Amino acid sequence: MYWHKQLRFLTMHKSLLKWFEKHQTGLIDEAKEYYQSHVLSYPDDVNAWQLLGIANSQLEAYDEALVAFKKGLSIDPNNVTIHSNIGHVYVKLKEYDLGEKHFNIVLNIQPGHLGVLKNLGLMHYKQNQFSTAEAYFHKALALDEHNDTLLYNLGLCQFNQNNIKSATRTFINALNIDDNNQSIMIKIGECYLQQSLYDHAIKYFLKAKNIEASFRIYHGLGCAYLGEDNSDQALKYFNQAYELEPFNFENCHNLASVYLHQQKLGEALQCWFQCLQMKPKCEQTLYNIGVCYQYQNKFEDAYSYFHKVLNQNENHSDTLHNLGTLALKQNKPNEAITFYRRVARLKPDNSQIQFLLNALEGEKNSSFKQCPKDYVAQLFDDYAPTYNEHLTKVLKYNGHERLSDLIENTIQPRKKMWTHIVDVGCGTGLAGPYLKPWTKQLSGIDCSQNMLMLANKTELYDHLIEGFIPDLPWPKAVDVFFLADCFPYIGDLSTTIRKMVLALNENGLIVCSIESGDDQTGTYELSKSGRFKHSKNYLVTLMTTNGCKQINYEKTNIRYEQHNPVNNELFIFKKIS
């Protein structure tokens, strides 16, 4: 109630005035008792009925309050304060139509009644009728344009209607009036978050934090730093928010997402299991738990959680896709095809799925000239946490070592012999220790952010470039291009080789490997592994056409697939013209 500012009594019984003053000091029960006795003696005292209604409202005795207010109205039907207070009581009772009726009576009597305009706005805001609420706040601001509370409420209406830019301007106007208002600072920060203006969001959240820290501030800072890809700072603030509200679902989910991004799978799982406690049937949480187990190669656990998702949504395409991937990892190609076909029906334009089906079904005339960029990026982003261990222990991969040996045996390179070597498809940086001693500058290229993040931790690379090989703007003045197990992700090598040769210095080298294809076909073919095999003649012809000469060659195997050795060929080509 805002009664003490609105009651304007021209005359008041002396004893009533005395108790009115005591009422204002907080003696509500005692005042009510007096008002009840007073109206028995003076039943036509409209002031007493009004004060009795206010006391009952403050004590949340709303039915009694309405009786008292309506008794006052029977004496003074046009009393705007009583109508306004009746409106308040009906809003408390959520009888909004009746509340609006009495507020409108006030406006008919007194069109510029600021308090009633404000309360009509608040009433409609409570009902999520944001456009109507906004209209009332605009009318109120026409009467009091420098009212920061009205501006704040107007900004909330605009924010909830997704008019984020308008809301931002309104909140900033409010802060210009009350420059120490933390609530306004937080809303400005949230507005900038919605617009992906993360540095602005951080500025206002930090200003608010300087007044007093809160969950919303820490969570907002976490979201802003996450938007800036600063996962360490995001983790710091999400954890501080977690300490204040450990069972906030959104914060717990974001915390898990950052842990996953940092390949801290145990911590991510712990957070997502906590999310599951709050929302046991949350489809996204069940899916994320399955993904974590998939990264850990805990196939049975991953299957279990992915199938819990399908029990709720049989057409969850990402889950079907992952189940196909799990089947492939367990050498169950027919099961993988079944899952991928289901995804293809749901997403007929998904190039990744069409590519995998072409490969698994042995499509001889596949239209794919390379692996889809998104497929390769996702494959290695997902693979990154367990890449080194799986590559060396399961696939028995030694391509970096074998190609480096070929360079040693052919060139006998000296320390810092070359100015610039580019490790194409550098992955986690396994080739770095072999290549770095030979060059003044080592660059790495990969399409997977997660792989590059791990390569960066080796501290061997001077530059790391994110990009898909066929689409790259190639570095200039390169002495050696090193491509260990990269060409199997590109079928048609003509454009890639032409661009590489153009970027090579005179006498520069291309050191590469291929999976052995059928020389009878003369070019390349998509295998059931989802990788391309190349004919030796095809590669040598392309290199020769582009001005390179083969200076060494070795037929060997550098990896295993499903426990069987893969036939590989290693080459060194030299640019001669």
Side-chain angles (χ1 to χ4, degrees), residues 25-82:
T25 66
L27 298 174
I28 302 172
D29 287 300
E30 294 88 337
K32 173 184 173 179
E33 188 176 339
Y34 172 77
Y35 300 147
Q36 286 173 327
S37 65
H38 184 90
V39 294
L40 292 176
S41 302
Y42 303 96
D44 293 329
D45 189 340
V46 67
N47 296 330
W49 287 113
Q50 187 174 180
L51 289 170
L52 178 58
I54 289 169
N56 280 316
S57 298
Q58 290 174 311
L59 295 168
E60 299 183 1
Y62 297 124
D63 290 338
E64 294 177 50
L66 285 173
V67 170
F69 285 137
K70 288 179 180 179
K71 190 70 175 177
L73 273 188
S74 69
I75 301 164
D76 183 4
N78 292 322
N79 188 307
V80 294
T81 307
I82 296 178

Side-chain angles (χ1 to χ4, degrees), residues 380 387 397 400 422-431 443-447 451-452 461 465 467 469 472 474 482-486 489:
F380 285 101
Y387 177 75
Y397 175 78
H400 301 87
V422 177
D423 182 5
V424 183
C426 64
T428 59
L430 288 174
S443 297
I445 296 172
D446 207 282
C447 64
M451 289 287 193
L452 289 174
Y461 292 84
I465 303 164
I469 296 170
L472 278 174
W474 288 90
F482 185 90
L483 301 96
D485 206 37
C486 283
Y489 297 96

